[in-house]
Amino acid sequence: MVKKVTISDVAKLAGVSKSTVSRYLNQGYISDKNAAIIKKAITDTGFKSNFFAARLKTKFNKLIGIVVPRIDSYSAGQTLAGINEILTQEQYQSIIVTSELDSTKEIQAIHQFNQQGVDAIIVISVGITQEKLSLMQQYSTPTIFVGQQHPDLNYIKLNDEKAGMLLGQHLEQCQFKNCVYLNVNKSDKAIGIERCQGFLQAFNGNVHFINTDFSFEHAYLHAPEILKFKPDVIVGATDNIALGVFKYLQEKNIKIPNDIAVAGFGGYPVSEISSPALTTISFNFKLLGKNAAFSILKLLVGKTFHSCLEDNFKLLIRSSTQL
Amino acid sequence: MVKKVTISDVAKLAGVSKSTVSRYLNQGYISDKNAAIIKKAITDTGFKSNFFAARLKTKFNKLIGIVVPRIDSYSAGQTLAGINEILTQEQYQSIIVTSELDSTKEIQAIHQFNQQGVDAIIVISVGITQEKLSLMQQYSTPTIFVGQQHPDLNYIKLNDEKAGMLLGQHLEQCQFKNCVYLNVNKSDKAIGIERCQGFLQAFNGNVHFINTDFSFEHAYLHAPEILKFKPDVIVGATDNIALGVFKYLQEKNIKIPNDIAVAGFGGYPVSEISSPALTTISFNFKLLGKNAAFSILKLLVGKTFHSCLEDNFKLLIRSSTQL
DNA sequence: CTGTTAGCGCTTTCAA
DNA sequence: TTGAAAGCGCTAACAG
C-alpha cells in the first residue's frame, strides 16, 4: 500500500521548495541541476500531480465535459473516439454524461459541468431549445454543440440538408416515384427536418411519412404500415431504421430492390454486411469528433471559432437501390 | 455571464455559516428552519457544489476511472453503457481513458487514476501481466478488472471457456470435421486462450489456426490463407473476424453454409443482419457492465467482493451453420 | 532562478 | 445545532 505522494514529498526528497517542484511541473522556470534532481525525486517517489488540488487552484486543468445522447451507438462511439483521440494528444481528460436522448437531461448535464468547473463542454445535442439558448447565455464555460445548429451557439455539424439532397438525387435518378420516408421526431432538427427537407428538394416523386424513433426494433414494428402506400422505395432517416425495415421485408419475402428499394443515412458498418448491401449516405463521425475537439481547443486558447457545416460524407450506392 | 457561485454565496444569502451549508449538503445535522432557508438560497443562487474543492478535502467524491480498450467498439460501448447506467443512478461520474488495446497504456492509465485520486477504477483489460499484478499491490484504490481473470485480482468476466464449449458442441453436432479457427493474440487470455480451449474441448474434428487481430479488415485480408485447409467450417474468435471472412467468401462466390459454414462469438447486432445470419455466441455485455458497476460500488462501501465468471451468454444458431 | 506566502472552495474538528 | 478555524495539495504572485 503506497501512501499517496504529494508535491511536498517530492520537494523534501529533492531538497527544494514545493514551488520549485510546481514550476518544474508546469512552466519550467528552473535550473538544469534542480530539474534533474526533481525529475529523479519524482520517479523515485512515483509522484503524480493531484488533479483536484491543481484544478481547485488554477480553474484550468484539462478537463472537458462531454454530453452524449447514448454511449452505445455507432455514431456516438465514432464521434467520441474522434474527440478522444485529439483530447488525449493534448493531455486533456473528459467526463462523459449521457442525456439518454432527453433534452432535459442534456440541460442538467450542462448545468452540472458548468458548476463543477470543467474547462469546456462538448454537447452532442439532441436538439436546440429556447431553454438551452438562455442557459448558454448564463454561463461562460466555452461550449460547442455538435450535430445541431443555431446562429446564437457555437456549433459544428454535418450538413444534413446536403446529405438529404445527395440521397434524394440518387433515388430521383433511379426513377423511383413513390417513396415512404421513415422519419424521426422533428425536435431533432438536424435529422428530422434538415435531412428530410434536403431529400424533398431533390426527389420529385410522392413521399409519404411515417414517424419512428431511432431504433431498429421500432422501425421493424412499424414496417407493416409502410406497405399500404405501395412504395417502390423506402428511406430510413438512419441506417438502423432502414435495416429494421429490411428485416421485415425479408421476412415477408419482398425482394430488395426488385420489389421495393431501400436506402438509409449513416454509413454504419452493418449497412455493408446486410444483403443486399444498403445504399446509404456515409458520414465520417470520427472526423466530426476530431474537428469538434480541435474547435474546443481553439476556443480554450481564446481563438475565435466559426461554427460550421461539414461535408464529411459521401453517397454509397449499393445493391439495395440498384439491380 | 453568471459568476460561479460558491458555498459562501449561499451562506451569505441564507444568513448562516459555510459549515452549516456544508452540513446541509452532506449529513444534514441541521435545524428544519435553516434547512428550508438554505434550500431556498441554493435554488435562488443556482449553486452546485464544486466537485474539485470537495474532492480535495474528502478524498471521496464519486469519481470512477474507467480504462477501456477502445471506445468505438460494440462490446466496449455496451459495457460502458451498463456501467454508466448504474453509476449514474448512484450519482457517480466517470473519467474514461482508452488503452488502444495496448497493455502499456492500460498500465499508465491505472497509474494516473491512482495518483489523481479517483475513488475506484474499472479496467476493461486487454490482458493481465506480471507488471499489472505488482502495480495493483502498490496501490490501494479499489480496482476491478473486467474481461480478464487472475486469482490475485478482483475481476468479473464472462466465462469464455464455457462459451467456447457451447459453440464447439454445436459445430460438433453439425458433424463438421475440418475447422479453421481465426484466433486473436494469446496475450488476450480470455479470448485467445480460454475461449479457444473451450471450443477444442467440445469439438472433435481437425482444427487449424490462423492469427488475426480484432478487426474486420484484418480478417478479410487473411481470409485467402484459410482455403488451403479446405475447411467445412470457419470460426472467428469474434463476430467481426467471422464477418471479415464472410465478405471474402461471398466475393469468391463460396456459399455459406453449403460450401463452408461460418460462426463467431459476440452476438453483435450486425450478425443478425448479415446474409445468411451468423451463428454466434451472444454475450450480454451490458449486463456485464452493470455487474461490474455494482461490484465496484460494493467495494467502495467496504463490502467484500467475490471475483466471478458470468454466464450471461447464449448460443444463437442461425443460417450460417445450418441449411 | 528560488523560497515564502497566501489562498482556490470545500469539509471537518472543536468549542460554544 | 451552529460558527470559527484549520487545512486538503496545489499554484501563483512576490520578493529576494
Side-chain angles (χ1 to χ4, degrees), chain B residues 4 30 56 89 105 109 121 167 202 267 280 282 288 291 322:
Chain B
K4 208 146 289 173
I30 199 173
L56 181 57
Q89 279 171 19
K105 286 196 185 166
I121 304 174
L167 187 62
T280 187
S282 169
L288 179 68
N291 287 338
Q322 293 217 315

Side-chain angles (χ1 to χ4, degrees), chain A residues 219-256:
Chain A
Y220 173 76
L221 292 172
H222 285 251
E225 298 171 26
I226 297 170
L227 296 184
K228 65 179 184 221
F229 294 113
K230 302 196 184 304
D232 51 10
V233 62
I234 301 171
V235 174
T238 72
D239 284 349
N240 271 350
I241 295 171
L243 290 168
V245 172
F246 240 74
K247 189 177 173 192
Y248 178 79
L249 295 182
Q250 284 177 332
E251 283 177 7
K252 291 287 169 200
N253 247 308
I254 295 168
K255 298 289 175 232
I256 304 169

Side-chain angles (χ1 to χ4, degrees), chain B residues 227-246:
Chain B
L227 296 185
K228 64 178 183 222
F229 293 112
K230 302 196 183 307
D232 51 11
V233 61
I234 301 171
V235 175
T238 71
D239 285 349
N240 272 349
I241 295 173
L243 290 167
V245 172
F246 240 74

Side-chain angles (χ1 to χ4, degrees), chain A residues 145-323:
Chain A
F145 285 79
V146 178
Q148 302 287 339
Q149 64 177 305
H150 190 283
D152 298 346
L153 258 27
N154 295 318
Y155 68 81
I156 177 169
K157 75 181 285 289
L158 293 158
N159 190 332
D160 280 282
E161 185 172 2
K162 203 161 161 186
M165 285 180 64
L166 207 54
L167 187 62
Q169 274 164 13
H170 166 63
L171 298 183
E172 180 64 28
Q173 278 164 10
C174 292
Q175 307 202 331
F176 293 113
K177 299 297 176 200
N178 195 27
C179 170
V180 171
Y181 191 109
L182 295 160
N183 204 5
V184 301
N185 194 291
K186 287 188 171 41
S187 70
D188 187 326
K189 201 159 155 275
I191 300 181
I193 298 180
E194 295 162 22
R195 189 175 288 182
C196 176
Q197 283 188 338
F199 179 81
L200 292 175
Q201 277 172 45
F203 183 78
N204 296 317
N206 279 329
V207 183
H208 308 278
F209 291 97
I210 293 182
N211 271 306
T212 65
D213 64 16
F214 282 89
S215 70
F216 178 89
E217 292 77 14
H218 195 273
Y220 173 76
L221 292 172
H222 285 251
E225 298 171 26
I226 297 170
L227 296 184
K228 65 179 184 221
F229 294 113
K230 302 196 184 304
D232 51 10
V233 62
I234 301 171
V235 174
T238 72
D239 284 349
N240 271 350
I241 295 171
L243 290 168
V245 172
F246 240 74
K247 189 177 173 192
Y248 178 79
L249 295 182
Q250 284 177 332
E251 283 177 7
K252 291 287 169 200
N253 247 308
I254 295 168
K255 298 289 175 232
I256 304 169
N258 310 50
D259 299 335
I260 306 181
V262 180
F265 289 89
Y268 307 163
V270 18
S271 68
E272 188 183 353
I273 303 290
S274 69
S275 177
L278 180 68
T279 291
T280 186
I281 301 290
S282 169
F283 295 112
N284 193 336
F285 292 110
K286 196 161 191 171
L287 185 52
L288 179 68
K290 285 190 192 184
N291 288 337
F294 281 131
S295 306
I296 207 79
L297 256 19
K298 269 193 193 167
L299 232 40
L300 239 17
V301 296
K303 287 197 199 147
T304 52
F305 159 74
H306 296 289
S307 294
C308 61
L309 257 27
E310 303 213 327
D311 286 351
N312 304 325
F313 53 81
K314 54 179 187 284
L315 170 64
L316 299 180
I317 299 175
R318 296 197 283 220
S319 339
S320 74
T321 57
Q322 292 217 316
L323 291 178

Side-chain angles (χ1 to χ4, degrees), chain A residues 21-194:
Chain A
V21 179
S22 175
R23 254 179 242 115
Y24 170 83
L25 259 22
N26 301 299
Q27 50 260 14
Y29 216 57
I30 199 173
S31 68
D32 289 353
K33 185 173 127 277
N34 273 346
I37 296 175
I38 293 172
K39 186 175 180 183
K40 184 170 182 327
I42 286 177
T43 41
D44 285 0
T45 53
F47 169 81
K48 296 225 175 171
S49 174
N50 180 321
F51 202 81
F52 301 93
R55 163 116 221 137
L56 182 57
K57 190 62 189 177
T58 54
K59 349 219 100 279
F60 183 83
N61 213 314
K62 305 223 160 199
L63 220 221
I64 308 276
I66 302 178
V67 188
V68 64
R70 296 181 45 183
I71 204 159
D72 54 346
S73 87
Y74 172 73
S75 55
Q78 291 291 311
T79 310
L80 284 174
I83 292 174
N84 179 70
E85 185 178 328
I86 304 308
L87 254 31
T88 304
Q89 278 172 19
E90 303 290 325
Q91 323 260 47
Y92 276 80
Q93 290 191 316
S94 50
I95 294 189
I96 298 172
V97 168
T98 57
S99 65
E100 307 297 335
L101 292 159
D102 176 347
S103 202
T104 311
K105 287 196 183 164
E106 189 178 306
I107 289 173
Q108 285 173 352
I110 296 172
H111 253 305
Q112 189 164 30
F113 281 143
N114 268 284
Q115 280 292 341
Q116 289 185 345
V118 297
D119 296 322
I121 304 173
I122 298 176
V123 185
I124 303 177
S125 183
V126 298
I128 309 300
T129 61
Q130 195 51 50
E131 196 176 352
K132 276 175 215 174
L133 291 171
S134 51
L135 189 67
M136 294 326 295
Q137 290 190 312
Q138 276 179 47
Y139 288 122
S140 52
T141 309
T143 304
I144 286 182
F145 285 79
V146 178
Q148 302 287 339
Q149 64 177 305
H150 190 283
D152 298 346
L153 258 27
N154 295 318
Y155 68 81
I156 177 169
K157 75 181 285 289
L158 293 158
N159 190 332
D160 280 282
E161 185 172 2
K162 203 161 161 186
M165 285 180 64
L166 207 54
L167 187 62
Q169 274 164 13
H170 166 63
L171 298 183
E172 180 64 28
Q173 278 164 10
C174 292
Q175 307 202 331
F176 293 113
K177 299 297 176 200
N178 195 27
C179 170
V180 171
Y181 191 109
L182 295 160
N183 204 5
V184 301
N185 194 291
K186 287 188 171 41
S187 70
D188 187 326
K189 201 159 155 275
I191 300 181
I193 298 180
E194 295 162 22

Side-chain angles (χ1 to χ4, degrees), chain B residues 194-205:
Chain B
E194 295 163 22
R195 190 176 288 182
C196 176
Q197 283 189 337
F199 180 80
L200 291 175
Q201 277 172 45
F203 183 77
N204 296 318

Side-chain angles (χ1 to χ4, degrees), chain B residues 64 66 78-88 94 122 124 146 286 288-290 292-293:
Chain B
I64 309 275
I66 302 178
Q78 291 292 312
T79 310
L80 284 174
I83 294 174
N84 178 72
E85 185 178 327
I86 305 307
L87 255 31
T88 305
S94 51
I122 298 176
I124 303 176
V146 179
K286 196 162 191 171
L288 179 68
K290 285 190 192 183

